[in-house]
Amino acid sequence: MSDAEARRRGGSSLAGPLTWLALAALLSQALALALGSVALSPDALLAVLGGGGEPLHRTLVLDLRLPRALAAFGTGALLALAGALMQVLLRNPLADPYVLGLSGGASVCALLAMLAGLGASLVAGAAFGGALASMLIVFGLAHGTGSWTPTRMLLTGVVMAAGWGALISFLLAVSPAERLPGMLYWLMGDLAYAGSPWLVLAVAALALVVMVPLGRTLNVLARGGMQAAALGVAVRPVEWTLYLVASLLTAVAVTTAGSIGFVGLMVPHMLRLRLGNDQRLILPASLLAGGTLLTLADTLARTLIAPQQLPVGVITALLGVPSFLYLLYRSR
């Protein structure tokens, strides 16, 4: 088989699953636009998207549901992509921004910035600093004077997450009473006040453009640091790139929608079970599947007890806890 034919077959094997995931993403967006406390028929939705429709329907879809659906997709894409990168970095399917304390560190610093009355850009910067600091602490404590192990890394991350949770409880205890409801919903993961979705979508696209060309390198790194170094991979720069990118993705996701757990844990691992461990496929597939999952979860949160709304983090936790226990059982 020639090199050109091999590349063509490899490209077709990647395109098939990504096409189906892209169609699922479009379907999830359509459901998010049609469903809610006021359901829209397919004809009414198509009329609005075509530039017509009733004024009330246009306001409902274009001003309320569409920005939230896109923000949900972008946030889920960031979390799933961050989880995929961390699982490659640690060679551990249990790695996840929520489980390892990154979301907690980002949440604490973001809450401090909010209480200080800082602007949105400074809140995002504080969340990034918190996520990065949490990652460095976890890696430093887990590594010690020797190499880390999955068990040590997991235990260190759980302890750090508990510590961040204690700080969050302290901040809630000393915060003004009028701010508590919004802060609690934000901490549980709430997309009601997500605002413009373009930041999360742009960051997700940029991260994908940066990381997918490194797919072959990540495939080698997933085999172990020593083997990757023996094959010519600059292990330390690649690892630091993964540190920084995962921290940035987590920070932007937390700033947009609060602390949402288990998306980064469930999505990459389930995709690996079905699609294998080729990072050239897993990274874009994680972006599409993570965005689809969170869009559907947010739609369920809006419609389950409509007109009241649940925090989307409640839905992802209900899905994620059984998945996490299943992964722990498999890793015995």
Side-chain angles (χ1 to χ4, degrees):
M1 181 186 302
S2 64
D3 293 340
E5 185 179 355
R7 286 194 297 268
R8 185 167 58 252
R9 290 191 177 184
S12 62
S13 65
L14 298 179
L18 294 180
T19 300
W20 286 107
L21 287 172
L23 292 175
L26 292 175
L27 178 60
S28 70
Q29 291 292 304
L31 290 175
L33 297 180
L35 300 180
S37 57
V38 177
L40 297 180
S41 65
D43 292 338
L45 179 60
L46 290 175
V48 171
L49 296 179
E54 299 180 9
L56 178 60
H57 291 170
R58 291 181 56 82
T59 300
L60 184 65
V61 172
L62 301 180
D63 296 339
L64 298 177
R65 291 183 181 176
L66 181 59
R68 177 165 177 167
L70 292 176
F73 182 86
T75 302
L78 293 180
L79 292 174
L81 191 56
L85 294 177
M86 294 182 66
Q87 290 172 16
V88 171
L89 178 66
L90 302 180
R91 276 80 68 183
N92 185 354
L94 299 179
D96 163 73
Y98 185 84
V99 175
L100 293 182
L102 267 72
S103 295
S107 296
V108 167
C109 292
L111 287 179
L112 287 173
M114 290 178 184
L115 290 176
L118 301 181
S121 60
L122 294 178
V123 171
F128 173 68
L132 180 60
S134 181
M135 175 174 279
L136 293 176
I137 292 172
V138 169
F139 274 83
L141 294 176
H143 191 276
T145 58
S147 61
W148 63 62
T149 64
T151 301
R152 183 188 299 176
M153 180 64 65
L154 180 61
L155 291 176
T156 306
V158 169
V159 171
M160 282 301 303
W164 291 125
L167 288 177
I168 290 172
S169 299
F170 173 77
L171 292 176
L172 293 176
V174 300
S175 298
E178 62 273 12
R179 295 190 180 183
L180 284 179
M183 293 173 66
L184 287 173
Y185 260 70
W186 185 84
L187 286 171
M188 288 186 288
D190 186 23
L191 286 155
Y193 304 99
S196 175
W198 304 120
L199 175 61
V200 288
L201 294 174
V203 172
L206 180 61
L208 194 63
V209 170
V210 171
M211 299 310 302
V212 167
L214 297 177
R216 293 182 181 275
T217 301
L218 298 181
N219 286 337
V220 177
L221 184 63
R223 298 175 178 270
M226 296 183 63
Q227 294 185 22
L231 294 173
V233 175
V235 175
R236 190 61 60 186
V238 173
E239 288 183 341
W240 275 107
T241 300
L242 295 181
Y243 294 159
L244 293 174
V245 172
S247 298
L248 175 62
L249 299 183
T250 302
V252 175
V254 169
T255 304
T256 302
S259 183
I260 299 175
F262 297 106
V263 174
L265 172 67
M266 292 188 296
V267 172
H269 186 75
M270 297 305 177
L271 288 175
R272 288 191 181 95
L273 292 177
R274 297 299 302 270
L275 304 179
N277 202 29
D278 187 350
Q279 303 308 314
R280 296 173 299 169
L281 174 60
I282 292 299
L283 294 182
S286 295
L287 185 146
L288 292 171
T292 300
L293 174 63
L294 195 59
T295 302
L296 294 175
D298 184 59
T299 303
L300 185 61
R302 290 189 293 105
T303 58
L304 194 61
I305 55 173
Q308 295 182 348
Q309 299 184 16
L310 292 172
V312 67
V314 173
I315 304 298
T316 59
L318 290 174
L319 297 174
V321 169
S323 300
F324 184 72
L325 294 176
Y326 171 72
L327 293 180
L328 283 176
Y329 175 79
R330 282 176 54 89
S331 64
R332 290 186 305 172

